[in-house]
């Protein structure tokens, strides 16, 4: 799914002030805000179509979630951010975007969300800088229904080696593809995994366990 230049320009002008504020507050990583926005467009390119229901893990300063919320005005989102300061800022950012009616900010751990009413309801889960592959997959898979997709930003050498079948199949996930994008001179790598079966009830494990004892 490719974006026309007018949509990119409109998104950049709308999101730049919010993301500048996030950077001043220390919620966004280094580099110009324009580069963070351009990096988010890679998630759009990796998605086959806009989701009806989506979740973003470890939303932090709002990338890519706020960009996708703006670009997909029919989508409903759950932004998962356990840090209370960042979660409060995200609530205000969602209001500023006029998206309060279709976005909720969940100020809890991702493991808790996977055991909530959101389980098995998402068409799409996104993650950028959330956690290593194993914990990311374990927290995302329970949220997805069969046929849904997980999109994860990764390093340039990302690929099936970082998403071994023995681990992903345990969660009902299957590695699909890794795509490399260059948008306005900003490189990005996004890996897509598809939920081929519902995640077993035992996942996610207790809070903190996916990181301490990752499946892969």
């Amino acid at each position: 799914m490719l974006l026309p230049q007018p949509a990119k320009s409109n998104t950049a002008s709308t999101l730049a002030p919010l993301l500048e504020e996030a950077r001043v507050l220390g919620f966004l990583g280094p580099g110009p805000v324009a580069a963070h926005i351009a990096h988010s467009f890679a998630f759009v390119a990796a998605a086959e179509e806009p989701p009806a229901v989506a979740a973003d893990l470890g939303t932090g300063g709002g990338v890519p979630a706020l960009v996708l919320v703006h670009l997909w005005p029919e989508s409903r989102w759950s932004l998962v951010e356990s840090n209370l300061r960042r979660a409060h800022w995200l609530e205000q950012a969602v209001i500023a975007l006029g998206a309060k009616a279709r976005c909720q900010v969940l100020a809890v751990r991702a493991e808790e969300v996977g055991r909530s009413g959101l389980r098995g309801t998402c068409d799409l889960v996104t993650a950028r800088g959330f956690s290593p592959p194993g914990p990311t997959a374990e927290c995302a898979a329970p949220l997805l229904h069969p046929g849904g997709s997980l999109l994860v930003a990764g390093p340039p050498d990302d690929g099936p080696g970082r998403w071994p079948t023995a681990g992903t199949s345990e969660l009902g996930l299957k590695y699909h593809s890794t795509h490399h994008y260059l948008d306005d001179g900003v490189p990005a790598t996004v890996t897509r995994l598809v939920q081929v079966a519902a995640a077993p009830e035992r996942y996610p494990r207790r809070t903190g366990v996916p990181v301490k004892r990752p499946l892969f």
Side-chain angles (χ1 to χ4, degrees), residues 12-201:
S13 61
T14 300
L15 270 294
L18 277 175
L19 296 183
E20 285 286 2
E21 181 180 326
R23 186 167 62 174
V24 169
L25 292 170
F27 299 160
L28 197 62
V33 161
H36 287 285
I37 295 172
H39 192 281
S40 299
F41 294 153
F43 285 84
V44 180
E48 291 186 348
E49 59 185 4
V53 179
D56 181 69
L57 301 181
T59 304
V63 177
L66 295 181
V67 176
L68 302 181
V69 166
H70 175 73
L71 285 169
W72 293 332
E74 303 301 319
S75 297
R76 291 186 288 117
W77 282 83
S78 295
L79 310 184
V80 182
E81 176 50 63
S82 62
N83 180 279
L84 294 180
R85 285 187 65 236
R86 290 194 288 264
H88 177 71
W89 179 83
L90 286 168
E91 289 174 347
Q92 302 308 306
V94 165
I95 292 172
L97 284 177
K100 180 178 172 60
R102 58 188 181 88
C103 292
Q104 61 175 343
V105 177
L106 303 177
V108 296
R109 290 287 296 258
E111 296 94 330
E112 296 177 50
V113 180
R115 296 188 289 268
S116 73
L118 199 63
R119 185 184 184 96
T121 66
C122 292
D123 307 304
L124 179 70
V125 174
T126 57
R128 181 187 186 226
F130 170 68
S131 200
T136 298
E138 183 171 345
C139 290
L143 299 176
L144 291 163
H145 60 67
S149 293
L150 167 62
L151 298 181
V152 187
D157 62 349
D158 205 356
R162 295 182 74 235
W163 305 92
T165 301
T168 56
S169 62
E170 174 71 15
L171 299 166
L173 279 170
K174 183 179 181 180
Y175 173 86
H176 182 277
S177 52
T178 295
H179 301 276
H180 303 281
Y181 301 91
L182 187 67
D183 196 295
D184 292 334
V186 178
T189 300
V190 174
T191 288
R192 180 184 177 198
L193 296 97
V194 176
Q195 196 74 32
V196 295
E201 288 295 325

